[in-house]
Amino acid sequence: MLRTHTCGELRPEHKDQEVVLCGWVHRRRDHGKLTFIDIRDRYGVTQVVFVPSVAKPAHELAQKLGPEFVVRIKGTVNVRPEKNVNKDLATGGIELLAKELEILNDSKVPVFEIDGDVDVTEELRLTYRYLDIRRDKMRESLLLRHKLANTVRSFLNAEGFCEVETPVLTKSTPEGARDFLVPSRLNQGQFYALPQSPQLFKQLLMVSGMDRYYQIVKCFRDEDLRADRQPEFTQIDMEMSFVDEEDVFSLTERMFQKVLKETKGIDLPVPFPRMTHAEAKAKYNSDKPDIRKNKEDKNEFAFLWVTDFPLFKWSEEEKRWDSEHHPFTSVHPEDVAKLEGKDLSNIRSRAYDLVLNGNEIGSGSIRIHRRDVQKRIFDIIGLGAEEIEARFGFLLRAFEYGAPPHAGVAYGLDRLVALLSGLDSIRDTIAFPKTQRGSCLLADAPSVVNEKQMRELGLLAVTKK
Amino acid sequence: MLRTHTCGELRPEHKDQEVVLCGWVHRRRDHGKLTFIDIRDRYGVTQVVFVPSVAKPAHELAQKLGPEFVVRIKGTVNVRPEKNVNKDLATGGIELLAKELEILNDSKVPVFEIDGDVDVTEELRLTYRYLDIRRDKMRESLLLRHKLANTVRSFLNAEGFCEVETPVLTKSTPEGARDFLVPSRLNQGQFYALPQSPQLFKQLLMVSGMDRYYQIVKCFRDEDLRADRQPEFTQIDMEMSFVDEEDVFSLTERMFQKVLKETKGIDLPVPFPRMTHAEAKAKYNSDKPDIRKNKEDKNEFAFLWVTDFPLFKWSEEEKRWDSEHHPFTSVHPEDVAKLEGKDLSNIRSRAYDLVLNGNEIGSGSIRIHRRDVQKRIFDIIGLGAEEIEARFGFLLRAFEYGAPPHAGVAYGLDRLVALLSGLDSIRDTIAFPKTQRGSCLLADAPSVVNEKQMRELGLLAVTKK
């Protein structure tokens, strides 16, 4: 064992104990013959003092320490006199009197300061992400993300949900964006697609009788990246059988109550207010109204359900009706008859969004579970028989074998963490994000591959002029 | 709300309560005027009786019910007389006297029986996976997988580990198998690779000070699929700073103690026995010995650490030394001097495998954390300066900025579930697996894509003759 305590752990009750700390040199100060080192790890900072009369070799070696050197220090815990207590530090009541020092690794001078909130370009932060994550802001963001995911999991587990992994190498799903494609070597000329969401698989799990499914899952969209999108992002994805809107809303509200309590200590009032899409457009000219009373208050989290979205939108480009959400969304029961009319613009769906402080953080619907209804929707949005069979044949077939009524929703984890942390960019919630050009500056991806790899996949790259 | 109870829930104490059940028609029997339906959901089976004198319309409608129809039944709970109690069923002490019946969806006759363990070809099972998952074996396997993952997560969370998501769209890692490639549209001619493991990123997280990382994560290998491999598989991946072998072993042993207790009710003795690689080869002629006493006992789980693997192996094909595990593995401290010799075959590493009943279920090592040592290993395995820079430049650079000593391990979740469930194939632990040709029979992936998609990616497919 290399250490006995972490750098955030020691308190006056450890007085006179001999302990071993490991960590990074955070700050260093010399006062006459004394050398003070603040040593840092994920858990906190501890002051270490090197005194020549106590441990000459350690004190001498300490003169070589630069910022971010990795050290192992054996020493005894001194309680600081009242006037020297550092109230800004959880370990401020003690200091470690060093007996032995081992330098586990040295460090070049970091390209930016770890300490404090010095402004650094994002390009530098992403290139040296391993230094950036040592800073408070990034570490706290990743820890909050972890806590949020845990809270969601333990809540859903207690509610009887089962996490099921769905495929990453799969078939194209029709979510409106481009798919990332993966050429198949064993089936040349064919491609897998990375999932834009597990939509079809989670519906198939309902047909499978799994009843209450969730997954915290990576999804992929090959978009021309707008300001704050990522080609890979994470969803809290769920689906339930034998439920209606009230069940989905109530479950969600209790889930976010628990999340806000555990991550922010906030008691969130429920139920969340609701507004139809028509009301939201009329009153706020937006389908994701920000209903906060005080937009300056960092601890105001105003959730809102927006319901009754239109089922279809007219595509002027393609001269046809298209689904507003996706084609698996149920029709509002009062509007079923309108499906036979010509103007489909005022047909309401059973789709709902969850909005938080003016951001759409989740979207879902009561699904279609009958083959005939699903087929009718595909017809309306202009899919031909061949295309239906190629893309959705397996879903329609599944609906012939006892598909239960079901509904679901998916919440965007990256955006949620950003909103709860008060961060402007979802990139600050992701350990190793991509730039707007879809590049990982740290690992230098994407990159060119060798000819052998291309040949094995049966591919030629055509360079554009 | 469509139901008030699940089909596994009702007991004699619910006597005379009016309840609503939803589920699938599992079995049907007619006795004179009475119709009996067993209704099934994820949680169990409940017997429902339709009596014409009690509810004529429901009894009439019940005549239309075929296997796997989806129904909603309102009724009252009858306690069965002692002689009619079905002791094989958790709900066998009661039956539901139906008052109302609603058919939520009908079903074609299933292509194979849901009830019982009737033998069905795997091709049919995978094509109709949504029927297969309704069967006890698959449902129990997915639920065990969920429980195992939860147990691991709650254990590691309590030990201070932080789950961090690493990228799926990344750069090639050198794990010995082929990478799946993803063409980049925004950077034409360049490719992402799907990770064979998060190896480099988890080491970078240690350099980032994250200290105790884990992730239950999808990994990808484009192999010529052997009997029981999958192109995408799931690892319980971890990494720790400031630890040695004893820490990794002790943590793992406590983790599997908890897993065996929670999933199988078994008290697993620890510590696990250990054997060096040399001993294992000498005594068992295997690097993954099966040390079970009784190979017939389905509840014997014999864990074994195999340690001190060779650092290098000679590649006759390439006429050079290659890493036995991967090039980030530390040298055994007693063998460091041998690195300067010619015969590298007897240099031991600090790599370890965890073996369960003769199956390698995990693999890990104490990592190299010094730039000079890492560079030396790359040199020995014949990587040129340019290749080192292109593939691992970012790791070597990270090692210059205060990399702590660290170690890690990864366990194969699919195989673990199979071994704990007594299943022969890891495919039975995965909701939607691929065949040996890498195909998803359910969704028909991979498949051809349209020309527009290829053009956008700047790709041409070259069909082999």
Side-chain angles (χ1 to χ4, degrees), chain B residues 57 328 411:
Chain B
F328 316 111
Y411 300 103

Side-chain angles (χ1 to χ4, degrees), chain B residues 123 299 302 362 381 434:
Chain B
E123 190 179 339
N299 277 323
I381 63 175
K434 308 274 190 300

Side-chain angles (χ1 to χ4, degrees), chain A residues 1-3 22 24 42-43 68 70 104-111 128 130-131 133-134 143 145-146 150 153 157 160-171 178 180-188 190-192 194 201 204 207-212 218 220 222-224 232 234 242-244 247 369 394 397-398 400-404 413 431-432 434 437-438 442-447 449 454 456-462 464, chain B residues 1-3 22-24 42-43 68 70 104-109 111 130-131 133-134 143 145-146 150 153 157 160-171 178 180-188 190-192 194 201 204-212 218 220 222-224 232 234 242-244 247 369 394 397-398 400-404 413 431-432 434 437-438 442-447 449 454 456-462 464:
Chain A
M1 175 76 94
L2 281 162
R3 67 171 172 193
C22 294
W24 286 260
R42 184 185 126 192
Y43 309 93
E68 301 306 313
V70 188
L104 298 171
N105 216 340
D106 55 13
S107 174
K108 282 187 171 176
V109 176
V111 291
Y128 294 88
Y130 39 89
L131 297 179
I133 294 175
R134 289 187 201 162
L143 291 172
R145 186 182 177 107
H146 171 65
N150 278 335
R153 279 203 169 91
N157 293 345
F161 281 74
C162 178
E163 186 163 23
V164 181
E165 295 175 56
T166 54
V168 176
L169 295 169
T170 181
K171 194 186 173 85
R178 279 188 204 86
F180 281 105
L181 297 179
V182 182
S184 166
R185 185 178 54 87
L186 295 174
N187 306 277
Q188 288 205 356
Q190 299 188 11
F191 291 78
Y192 302 99
L194 303 183
F201 285 106
L204 288 170
V207 182
S208 306
M210 283 307 286
D211 184 68
R212 309 195 127 204
K218 280 276 177 76
F220 306 86
D222 185 10
E223 298 176 302
D224 294 317
E232 58 180 292
T234 304
F242 308 118
V243 296
D244 61 20
D247 300 298
H369 66 283
F394 65 109
R397 256 187 304 285
E400 293 177 330
Y401 288 96
L413 180 63
F432 304 105
K434 308 276 191 300
R437 289 284 302 167
L442 172 62
D444 185 28
S447 53
V449 298
M454 294 285 284
E456 285 183 332
L457 296 171
L459 287 182
L460 272 184
V462 187
K464 271 195 192 154
Chain B
M1 175 75 101
L2 280 161
R3 67 173 172 193
C22 294
W24 286 260
R42 186 185 125 191
Y43 310 93
E68 301 307 313
V70 187
L104 298 171
N105 216 341
D106 56 12
S107 175
K108 281 185 170 178
V109 176
V111 291
Y130 42 88
L131 296 179
I133 294 174
R134 289 186 201 163
L143 290 172
R145 185 181 179 108
H146 171 65
N150 277 336
R153 279 203 170 92
N157 293 346
F161 281 74
C162 178
E163 187 162 23
V164 181
E165 295 175 55
T166 52
V168 176
L169 295 170
T170 181
K171 194 185 173 84
R178 279 189 205 85
F180 281 105
L181 297 179
V182 183
S184 165
R185 184 177 54 85
L186 295 174
N187 307 275
Q188 288 207 356
Q190 299 188 12
F191 291 78
Y192 302 99
L194 303 183
F201 285 105
L204 289 171
L205 283 169
M206 295 304 104
V207 182
S208 307
M210 282 308 286
D211 184 68
R212 308 196 127 202
K218 279 279 176 72
F220 305 87
D222 185 11
E223 298 177 303
D224 293 317
E232 59 181 292
T234 305
F242 308 118
V243 297
D244 61 19
D247 300 298
H369 67 283
F394 66 108
R397 254 187 305 284
E400 293 178 329
Y401 289 96
L413 180 64
F432 304 104
K434 308 274 190 300
R437 290 284 302 166
L442 172 60
D444 185 28
S447 55
V449 298
M454 295 286 283
E456 284 182 331
L457 295 171
L459 288 181
L460 271 184
V462 188
K464 270 193 192 152

Side-chain angles (χ1 to χ4, degrees), chain A residues 265-385:
Chain A
I266 289 174
D267 289 304
L268 193 65
V270 298
F272 300 157
R274 300 180 193 183
M275 199 179 283
T276 65
H277 179 262
E279 282 169 52
K281 292 294 269 189
K283 202 166 155 191
Y284 292 89
N285 194 29
S286 166
D287 56 7
K288 44 184 181 181
D290 187 345
I291 59 166
R292 277 180 293 178
K293 296 196 178 64
N294 173 10
K295 303 227 181 352
E296 303 301 306
D297 178 359
K298 287 211 160 185
N299 277 323
E300 188 179 358
F301 295 97
F303 288 86
L304 170 72
W305 290 111
V306 179
T307 65
D308 295 17
F309 274 79
L311 187 61
F312 299 111
K313 61 184 171 199
W314 177 254
S315 166
E316 195 50 45
E317 192 190 334
E318 307 194 37
K319 301 284 177 210
R320 63 172 179 88
W321 293 100
D322 203 356
S323 297
E324 170 80 29
H325 268 65
H326 57 52
F328 316 111
T329 309
S330 281
V331 191
H332 194 294
E334 292 168 13
D335 292 354
V336 172
K338 295 185 189 167
L339 280 178
E340 305 313 317
K342 281 229 164 107
D343 180 9
L344 306 181
S345 63
N346 61 351
I347 299 179
R348 289 164 298 169
S349 73
R350 295 179 75 181
Y352 35 81
D353 277 3
L354 185 60
V355 174
L356 170 55
N357 295 357
N359 299 273
E360 183 217 306
I361 56 158
S363 186
S365 61
I366 309 295
R367 321 300 187 188
I368 296 165
H369 66 283
R370 293 179 56 99
R371 187 193 193 284
D372 50 350
V373 180
Q374 186 64 70
K375 178 73 170 45
R376 178 83 188 95
I377 299 295
F378 287 150
D379 290 342
I380 289 176
I381 63 173
L383 298 184

Side-chain angles (χ1 to χ4, degrees), chain A residues 53-72:
Chain A
S53 62
V54 173
K56 199 163 187 303
H59 181 266
E60 268 172 22
L61 192 56
Q63 306 316 305
K64 294 190 181 161
L65 293 176
E68 301 306 313
F69 276 45
V70 188
V71 294
R72 178 177 181 273

Side-chain angles (χ1 to χ4, degrees), chain A residues 396-447:
Chain A
L396 290 178
R397 256 187 304 285
F399 281 180
E400 293 177 330
Y401 288 96
H406 58 289
V409 63
Y411 300 103
L413 180 63
D414 312 289
R415 172 66 52 203
L416 266 170
V417 176
L419 288 169
L420 293 185
S421 304
L423 297 168
D424 292 328
S425 166
I426 62 168
R427 290 188 293 280
D428 287 342
T429 73
I430 298 170
F432 304 105
K434 308 276 191 300
T435 65
Q436 286 190 44
R437 289 284 302 167
S439 299
C440 174
L441 297 180
L442 172 62
D444 185 28
S447 53

